[in-house]
Amino acid sequence: MTAGRLARCAAVVATVLAALVPEVTAHQAAASPRVPGALRGLDVSGYDGNVDWSSVAAKGAAFAYVKATEGTGYTSSYFAQQYNGAADAGLVRGAYHFARPDVSGGREQADYFVDHGGTWVADGTTLPGALDIEYNPHGDTCYGLTPKAMVGWIAGFRDEYRARTGRAPVIYTTTGWWSSCTGGHAGFGATDPLWIANHTGQATPLPAGWSTYTVWQTAGAGDFPGDQDVFNGTRENLTAFALGDYTPPPPAPAWPLVQQGQSGRRVTTVQYLLNARGASLAVDGQFGAGTREAVVAFQTTQGLTADGIVGPRTWQALVATVRQGDTGPAVRALQEELNAHGASLTVDGRFGTGTRDALAAFQTAHDLTSDGIAGPDTWLVLVS
């Protein structure tokens, strides 16, 4: 968003250049196209100037968030044109506040926000105000606060905004910033709707405490002025959210990124699947140099970008369809994943009736075709 846009862009560029992850970069480049079936919107600020809202509406935007304030000393001079213009064009719109925890307390900034355009009314066309809490464009990423102090600052803003308006604010953030600057605090998901910023082409992973999102900022540019967003629901859901009564569905499954330095179940699955494709890895759940080399070798044979990172395209090439009667490392991977989802299988690499029954039960629970065969759709839900 405006004050944070340069900081976010710099952080993304630095991360990409440092890690040299072509698979991620290519996926980021695909983030601007429309998310199929999504209810589209945008967020703007003084940086975007006067907005032609009739044109925005004609292109299909259903909602907008407009920057109102920052800290306790800045109000956007374009707020009235943008906020009122969006409403006049038929968009459901709300205001957002760019947090500056380094200049004053959370309660003070909530009051400033409400007093300068950030209030909420139950008219079905006004979204609850949003707190934009993210990378500091002026200095220390976490504004000089410890995770405990940051959590207290956000709670102060949330409590004061709710006391003033009757609604908890939406929280706009990134998963990386949240993890670093709140210590992965999980206490806001029960009260505050999430507006997740993720320009990689998928909304997940989400910050700690949230199992779903309400708004997803998908890109920094596109069909509309400002940043591009989607709402997790229908137009009727958007109206319900504006009125206050809406619980968004869980995000769609997405292939995770697995790379060097990570550990855990997904790494174990990758190692088993690589072994099923001819590698000879010790399956220890640790993504070290040996696992990276095996990923690179597999990617090379498949004509993929050989970056050593298991992203969507590598996953789709790596997973193997397995069924009753099969044996080997891919079956072990399946059994480990099923156990992680509540089964109690012996991980022996033999696809017998017990593995089939556990797989069919998992498929039924996740609205998949319950055929007892682990194909790409089932693997996607298992590892996402």
Side-chain angles (χ1 to χ4, degrees):
M1 318 246 268
T2 303
R5 180 179 286 137
L6 293 177
R8 283 204 318 276
C9 290
V12 170
V13 170
T15 300
V16 171
L17 290 177
L20 292 177
V21 284
E23 181 159 1
V24 179
T25 307
H27 206 47
Q28 287 172 334
S32 294
R34 301 176 184 180
V35 178
L39 196 61
R40 302 164 64 216
L42 64 156
D43 60 87
V44 294
S45 66
Y47 177 89
D48 301 293
N50 290 322
V51 174
D52 183 350
W53 289 106
S54 60
S55 175
V56 168
K59 291 180 179 178
F63 69 97
Y65 265 106
V66 176
K67 182 176 182 179
T69 52
E70 179 175 331
T72 51
Y74 171 84
T75 302
S76 171
S77 60
Y78 289 93
F79 177 73
Q81 190 277 338
Q82 294 174 346
Y83 188 78
N84 297 328
D88 291 344
L91 278 69
V92 180
R93 83 303 190 230
Y96 77 84
H97 172 81
F98 188 87
R100 289 293 305 277
D102 54 334
V103 299
S104 58
R107 292 182 181 275
E108 291 88 343
Q109 292 193 29
D111 284 331
Y112 186 79
F113 179 43
V114 173
D115 292 342
H116 294 84
T119 193
W120 171 79
V121 291
D123 57 6
T125 62
T126 304
L127 297 169
L131 173 65
D132 178 359
I133 183 81
E134 55 167 298
Y135 303 96
N136 180 6
H138 306 292
D140 178 73
T141 296
C142 301
Y143 302 86
L145 272 61
T146 65
K148 181 178 180 180
M150 182 64 73
V151 169
W153 193 98
I154 297 170
F157 186 100
R158 186 266 315 277
D159 293 346
E160 183 67 7
Y161 187 83
R162 184 164 53 185
R164 292 283 305 272
T165 68
R167 292 289 299 272
V170 175
I171 291 180
Y172 167 99
T173 195
T174 70
T175 300
W177 185 91
W178 192 264
S179 177
S180 296
C181 296
T182 74
H185 182 74
F188 291 98
T191 56
D192 295 77
L194 175 65
W195 179 1
I196 183 67
N198 192 333
H199 297 184
T200 67
Q202 58 191 43
T204 54
L206 301 178
W210 284 278
S211 60
T212 188
Y213 65 91
T214 301
V215 180
W216 168 23
Q217 185 188 85
T218 62
D223 291 341
F224 308 131
D227 298 312
Q228 314 298 291
D229 301 278
V230 295
F231 177 76
N232 189 5
T234 65
R235 286 185 179 270
E236 291 75 17
N237 297 148
L238 181 64
T239 300
F241 178 55
L243 290 171
D245 183 19
Y246 178 60
T247 300
W255 297 104
L257 293 178
V258 185
Q259 56 192 304
Q260 190 165 356
Q262 294 180 350
S263 61
R265 169 176 61 89
R266 288 170 176 155
V267 177
T268 297
T269 297
V270 166
Q271 291 171 330
Y272 274 129
L273 291 173
L274 286 167
N275 285 349
R277 301 289 187 174
S280 300
L281 295 168
V283 180
D284 58 5
Q286 303 293 322
F287 199 128
T291 299
R292 185 185 186 282
E293 290 172 3
V295 172
V296 169
F298 173 76
Q299 290 170 325
T300 300
T301 65
Q302 298 295 312
L304 300 168
T305 301
D307 57 6
I309 297 171
V310 183
R313 290 181 294 282
T314 300
W315 272 113
Q316 292 172 66
L318 188 60
V319 296
T321 298
V322 291
R323 65 195 74 209
Q324 190 166 354
D326 288 342
T327 60
V331 177
R332 289 180 182 271
L334 174 64
Q335 291 168 331
E336 291 274 16
E337 286 290 345
L338 289 170
N339 284 349
H341 289 279
S344 300
L345 298 168
T346 300
V347 181
D348 59 5
R350 297 180 180 277
F351 199 132
T353 56
T355 299
R356 187 190 184 286
D357 291 346
L359 176 57
F362 174 84
Q363 291 170 325
T364 299
H366 291 83
D367 297 321
L368 297 164
T369 300
S370 184
D371 57 6
I373 299 172
D377 291 345
T378 297
W379 279 111
L380 170 60
V381 179
L382 280 166
V383 304
S384 68

